[in-house]
Amino acid sequence: MNRTLMDLWVGIFVVAGLGAILVLALRVGNASATFDVSDTYTVYGDFENIGGLKVRAPVKSAGVVVGRVANIQLNAQTYKARATLAIDKRYQFPADTSAAILTAGLLGEQYIGFDAGGDTANLEQGSVLQITQSAIVLEKLISQFLYNKAAEGSGGDK
Amino acid sequence: MLKPLLSGFSHIGRQVIDGTWRLGYATRFFLLVLLRSGLSFTRFGLVVRKVYFSGVLSLIIIIVSGLFVGMVLGLQGYETLVRYGSAEALGTLVALSLVRELGPVVSALLFASRAGSAITAEIGLMKATEQLSAMEVMAVDPIARVVGPHFWGAVISMPLLASLFSAVGVFGGYLIGVVLIGVDDGAFWSQMQAAVDFRHDILNGIIKSAVFGVAVAAIATFEGYDAPPTAEGVSGATTRTVVTSALAILALDFVLTAFMFTGQ
């Protein structure tokens, strides 16, 4: 079988197609930024309410993505939500680091924000975050506000 | 008095029986192609020739339409997003809609009308001019020698074409959004990269296009093989290839989307 010009064209076509997949993976997608499973350690956070937090949401410290939410489950004993966080091994945090569920922008995606503490020991594989702050639920906030207003109003009459 | 009514019913019945019969025949044909495609892999040159026939010759239409679809998405997306003050999300919108839906679906529709119809016409004409029968007389299996390479050539080409379509489309959206309108360059790419996941979005898109490739290839080769050996028959089969492929692509897309992108 001899090489023909057709083979060259098919070669160009295949290279272009594979190149497109590579461009999609590296330039459009975040394959380069996705953490390897081996490069992370797992910590757990128990939250009263996770709001709209989703699996794969980012974990940020000082605005830098340091990990991802790997799993979210309801703990049937405490009725709290347990979020499993996969944190990049390059970043070590003190053991008393606090986690809060925050929102990017007004209507943006929810993420977990880390505030580093002052402990000398670091978080380890499998440790549980001691201080957590739940997502803000707008309805609760409004009802609390109205309740306070009403209490103020009735207090003023007397 | 009852006769016109009854003939209407019997017509419907005949259609249903015919359709089921043909579907069974098509399934057997599809399995036969899979079973006998050993030759396609031992003589890979045959498949390469068909990749040229269906893939390389579809390149122009795929690239040009991808560019235009991306540019339209850029324009329309900007018009809508700027109302909510989030024009920076344009990259996300263009990339997600291309990678998840438009890339696989539109390129498969174009592929069905560009390459699928050509496959049907070629196989149908080979049958009409009795080339397939001649092969059988010479103890060459036409399914292994002609249909198999056509089938695998189309299946290999389809994911590559869909990826090219998406990549070129994202570039088209970039041209309109960033170069022409002036959306911030960094926000365009970084928001896109934050939102598009390799496994969930890109890989699922490629799987979609591979499934569409199998569907189009199976329909095109079967219609050609089953075409009545007349000029009219071949033209009818070519039309049926395009129509059936389009319906199959859109129906499969719904099923695949329901599996892949919901309930996470």
Side-chain angles (χ1 to χ4, degrees):
Chain A
M1 201 177 89
N2 295 320
R3 268 208 297 201
T4 59
L5 196 61
M6 190 187 285
D7 293 333
L8 174 67
W9 276 109
V10 171
I12 293 172
F13 168 60
V14 172
V15 167
L18 294 179
I21 295 177
L22 208 67
V23 166
L24 287 176
L26 297 179
R27 190 82 174 121
V28 177
N30 52 0
S32 50
T34 312
F35 299 116
D36 263 339
V37 182
S38 56
D39 283 332
T40 60
Y41 60 100
T42 313
V43 297
Y44 300 98
D46 291 329
F47 295 92
E48 296 274 353
N49 192 330
I50 56 153
L53 190 73
K54 300 242 165 56
V55 172
R56 280 200 39 73
V59 179
K60 294 183 183 179
S61 180
V64 179
V65 178
V66 296
R68 301 241 170 234
V69 176
N71 193 11
I72 300 172
Q73 274 178 332
L74 184 71
N75 185 336
Q77 261 84 54
T78 59
Y79 294 103
K80 282 184 173 181
R82 164 153 286 200
T84 311
L85 314 176
I87 309 292
D88 193 334
K89 274 222 167 93
R90 286 176 297 172
Y91 303 111
Q92 298 292 333
F93 290 94
D96 61 345
T97 295
S98 66
I101 297 179
L102 305 169
T103 309
L106 191 60
L107 299 166
E109 205 187 8
Q110 287 195 307
Y111 66 95
I112 291 188
F114 267 16
D115 266 326
D119 205 321
T120 47
N122 279 340
L123 285 175
E124 285 164 14
Q125 166 75 24
S127 37
V128 179
L129 294 164
Q130 297 302 320
I131 313 163
T132 59
Q133 187 192 324
S134 294
I136 292 169
V137 180
L138 212 56
E139 288 89 335
K140 281 190 182 171
L141 207 67
I142 291 171
S143 68
Q144 204 170 18
F145 175 74
L146 290 178
Y147 184 76
N148 286 348
K149 273 284 170 201
E152 266 175 38
S154 60
D157 283 343
K158 278 175 188 171
Chain B
M1 199 177 95
L2 273 172
K3 204 153 191 209
L5 271 177
L6 282 178
S7 82
F9 276 120
S10 69
H11 182 70
I12 294 172
R14 194 178 304 133
Q15 292 264 314
V16 171
I17 291 172
D18 261 5
T20 318
W21 201 328
R22 202 149 176 274
L23 185 68
Y25 182 45
T27 313
R28 192 160 66 89
F29 174 80
F30 179 59
L31 293 177
L32 216 60
V33 170
L34 291 185
L35 278 178
R36 296 195 189 163
S37 49
L39 184 73
S40 304
F41 295 105
T42 47
R43 286 182 63 188
F44 204 66
L46 291 173
V47 179
V48 169
R49 204 166 301 164
K50 298 309 176 192
V51 170
Y52 179 82
F53 178 78
S54 55
V56 177
L57 294 181
S58 313
L59 267 181
I60 304 281
I61 187 172
I62 290 286
I63 288 176
V64 172
S65 354
L67 193 67
F68 278 112
V69 166
M71 291 188 342
V72 167
L73 273 177
L75 272 178
Q76 291 279 18
Y78 180 79
E79 288 297 321
T80 311
L81 287 173
V82 81
R83 264 185 235 178
Y84 303 101
S86 49
E88 283 75 23
L90 186 65
T92 311
L93 183 137
V94 170
L96 276 186
S97 38
L98 274 170
V99 168
R100 282 184 176 185
E101 288 296 330
L102 287 173
V105 172
V106 176
S107 59
L109 291 174
L110 291 171
F111 184 75
S113 31
R114 168 66 186 77
S117 58
I119 290 172
T120 305
E122 187 178 315
I123 296 177
L125 271 176
M126 284 181 90
K127 188 187 177 192
T129 52
E130 297 184 333
Q131 293 180 48
L132 296 186
S133 317
M135 280 183 182
E136 265 172 12
V137 170
M138 292 185 286
V140 175
D141 181 9
I143 290 189
R145 178 65 179 74
V146 177
V147 176
H150 264 302
F151 178 82
W152 288 108
V155 170
I156 292 171
S157 304
M158 191 56 237
L160 297 173
L161 288 172
S163 316
L164 264 173
F165 187 97
S166 300
V168 172
V170 169
F171 178 68
Y174 169 81
L175 273 186
I176 290 295
V178 176
V179 178
L180 202 71
I181 297 179
V183 174
D184 183 56
D185 189 28
F188 183 87
W189 290 111
S190 67
Q191 292 227 359
M192 183 192 295
Q193 284 162 3
V196 179
D197 180 47
F198 179 69
R199 239 166 297 170
H200 187 244
D201 297 318
I202 296 174
L203 217 57
N204 274 347
I206 293 174
I207 290 171
K208 259 189 185 180
S209 60
V211 173
F212 296 160
V214 171
V216 171
I219 290 168
T221 49
F222 173 71
E223 289 289 358
Y225 197 78
D226 189 47
T230 59
E232 209 179 19
V234 173
S235 86
T238 314
T239 312
R240 270 203 306 279
T241 295
V242 177
V243 174
T244 318
S245 298
L247 291 177
I249 289 164
L250 294 172
L252 278 173
D253 183 49
F254 173 74
V255 175
L256 288 175
T257 305
F259 267 117
M260 288 171 173
F261 297 113
T262 55
Q264 47 163 321

